[in-house]
Amino acid sequence: MSVAFRRESDEEHLEPRFELPIPPGPNLVTQRGLDQIQARNEKLEAMLEGPLSDEERKAVLRDARYWRQRQASAQLAPLPNGDRVAFGTRVTFLRDGQASTLDLVGHDESEPAAHRIAFTAPLARALLGAEVGDEVSFAGADGPLLVTAIDVASVGDEPPHSAAR
């Protein structure tokens, strides 16, 4: 029988809901990232204590499994010294003549629109280990990236204000 002739309530033609994928590798976090994971877990646990339909409960349980695992595997990264680009630093660089600033953070804390990228992102991997004044090759840039500043104290504060293209 064609799907067109089935009732909306037929369960057998619904798309399966897979578990949320866990990023590979270590679950490094900044203090801000750890706080966010803990807050997310508290919110989900509170939702599970309240009234939910069966479908809502399944969705919340799915999210809760992910965030419980992320909290259990979280590794608070040591604060970098700021001499080199590392996890937990804010780096400013020139790319194609434009200044850009990014925070290098954990997977769950990354938010590209706020200029926070995961430390495993290609751009972050290219910048890791660089010092102020270093030129770094990165595919997609017209030339090398020039690292102009590295800051540790600002990570987790207001997001960087310059846009990374």
Side-chain angles (χ1 to χ4, degrees):
M1 174 186 290
S2 168
V3 172
F5 296 106
R6 293 185 181 169
R7 293 183 307 271
E8 290 281 328
S9 63
D10 284 347
E11 294 283 329
E12 64 190 61
H13 74 280
L14 294 177
E15 291 291 323
R17 301 249 333 168
F18 298 104
E19 292 298 311
L20 296 172
I22 302 293
N27 183 15
L28 295 177
V29 296
T30 64
Q31 184 60 54
R32 178 182 180 276
L34 184 59
D35 293 344
Q36 286 179 332
I37 291 171
Q38 290 171 339
R40 181 79 55 109
N41 270 310
E42 289 169 6
K43 178 181 175 187
L44 290 168
E45 295 302 329
M47 290 174 70
L48 287 170
E49 292 176 8
L52 296 170
S53 70
D54 286 345
E55 286 303 310
E56 290 171 325
R57 182 164 301 284
K58 285 179 190 176
V60 172
L61 281 170
R62 175 180 177 244
D63 289 348
R65 284 189 298 274
Y66 175 86
W67 289 105
R68 287 172 186 154
Q69 192 283 332
R70 296 307 281 169
Q71 186 169 6
S73 66
Q75 300 173 24
L76 187 60
L79 284 177
N81 63 15
D83 292 343
R84 296 180 175 270
V85 177
F87 180 91
T89 58
R90 176 171 289 174
V91 59
T92 302
F93 57 93
L94 293 177
R95 178 181 184 182
D96 302 335
Q98 299 280 15
S100 299
T101 302
L102 296 170
D103 288 349
L104 276 57
V105 296
H107 293 282
D108 298 316
E109 188 179 1
S110 69
E111 187 178 352
H115 312 290
R116 292 186 182 104
I117 63 171
F119 68 102
T120 56
L123 179 56
R125 287 195 319 244
L127 291 167
L128 284 171
E131 297 176 338
V132 172
D134 284 355
E135 290 187 345
V136 177
S137 297
F138 180 66
D142 288 338
L145 309 176
L146 175 64
V147 177
T148 59
I150 301 169
D151 186 15
V152 176
S154 298
V155 175
D157 296 343
E158 288 297 312
H161 57 276
S162 64
R165 295 186 301 153

